[in-house]
Amino acid sequence: MKFKLGWLSFGFFIFYSFQQMTWSIGNHLNNGDTIFYFLRGKAGLYFPFHMLVWFLSVLVSYSLFYILFYRYKQKTAAILCYILIGIPLMIGIRYVMEEVILFAIKGKHNYSADMLIPLRYFIDNIYFTIYYSAFGIVFFFIQLNNHQQKMQNQLLLKSRQAELAFLRSQINPHFLFNSLNNVYTLVYQGSDKALTSISKLSELLRYMLYEEEQKVALIKEVRYLQHYIDLQLMRYDFVPATKINISLPADCTLRIAPLTLIPFVENAFKHGNLRDENIPLVVDPSFKWRNHSI
């Protein structure tokens, strides 16, 4: 999570300006004051200065929670430092900015003499300090929540990628070597099926190794499943007892996690008895389990 000074500044500018306008409208309705007086005349000259005073308070509160709460994971320390150090520090910043620097500019204190007594000044400013600095704290927790949500999504994505990688690793490596040997035999014999077999094996391997989408079209999965079955059938020197029907309608829009179906078919070829005509290997979504499909 990055220290977002730019967004914090922009957000506080909008917040402070909106608050000043609403207060000005309220004063106009209640007391007849000029609307937006804070932007006119001398008051308008000091508007950026006062906004800077409270923005520094926002920055202090945001920084405390960013460093202690986020960086060092010290939640209790962040709260205690805000109360015991942050609030007095922010009040001190306001005093220096308004009663020292601003006084040197315009020759007039923002507070009356009796309110400049340290204890009274401190107590009076607790409310304003908490009010404005709360913006920095709220901004921090919104940013933290978004960051945690983003990290959670990244972890979920990595978990799915790991699951997919594990699924790929489960594809029997003997299938690859057997397929290569079969292709070699076809090439050696000059069979017309050699080029087709090489093409199917190439597409299947590309799909196994480089497909990164979380969900692929079911039609695409089935197409590569058919390539897998065709390559498996090349291994046998007899006609395997199979009943395969995995055709789908052209307008099928269903999606599925990649490589979901191949392990089932691989196990069927691995453990099934393909010489038994009475109990053939069946790959058919519509086939019933009572018919002893594998």
Side-chain angles (χ1 to χ4, degrees), residues 15-28 36 38 131:
F15 166 75
Y16 187 81
S17 300
F18 177 78
Q19 168 222 260
Q20 290 294 319
M21 286 188 286
T22 54
W23 283 0
S24 179
I25 293 173
N27 290 334
H28 171 73
F36 305 148
F38 63 94
Y131 175 82

Side-chain angles (χ1 to χ4, degrees), residues 54-78:
W54 294 120
F55 174 72
L56 292 176
S57 296
V58 168
L59 187 60
V60 168
S61 62
Y62 175 78
S63 300
L64 279 174
F65 277 85
Y66 182 87
I67 295 172
L68 296 177
F69 196 99
Y70 171 67
R71 283 291 180 85
Y72 293 100
K73 313 300 180 185
Q74 299 294 325
K75 299 179 180 180
T76 303

Side-chain angles (χ1 to χ4, degrees), residues 59-114:
L59 187 60
V60 168
S61 62
Y62 175 78
S63 300
L64 279 174
F65 277 85
Y66 182 87
I67 295 172
L68 296 177
F69 196 99
Y70 171 67
R71 283 291 180 85
Y72 293 100
K73 313 300 180 185
Q74 299 294 325
K75 299 179 180 180
T76 303
I79 297 173
L80 290 176
C81 284
Y82 171 74
I83 296 174
L84 300 179
I85 299 176
I87 291 177
L89 176 62
M90 290 181 276
I91 293 175
I93 290 174
R94 186 187 186 192
Y95 180 85
V96 171
M97 294 289 288
E98 293 186 353
E99 307 304 335
V100 178
I101 298 177
L102 190 59
F103 174 75
I105 295 174
K106 68 176 185 178
K108 183 179 180 181
H109 285 292
N110 188 50
Y111 274 77
S112 59
D114 60 323

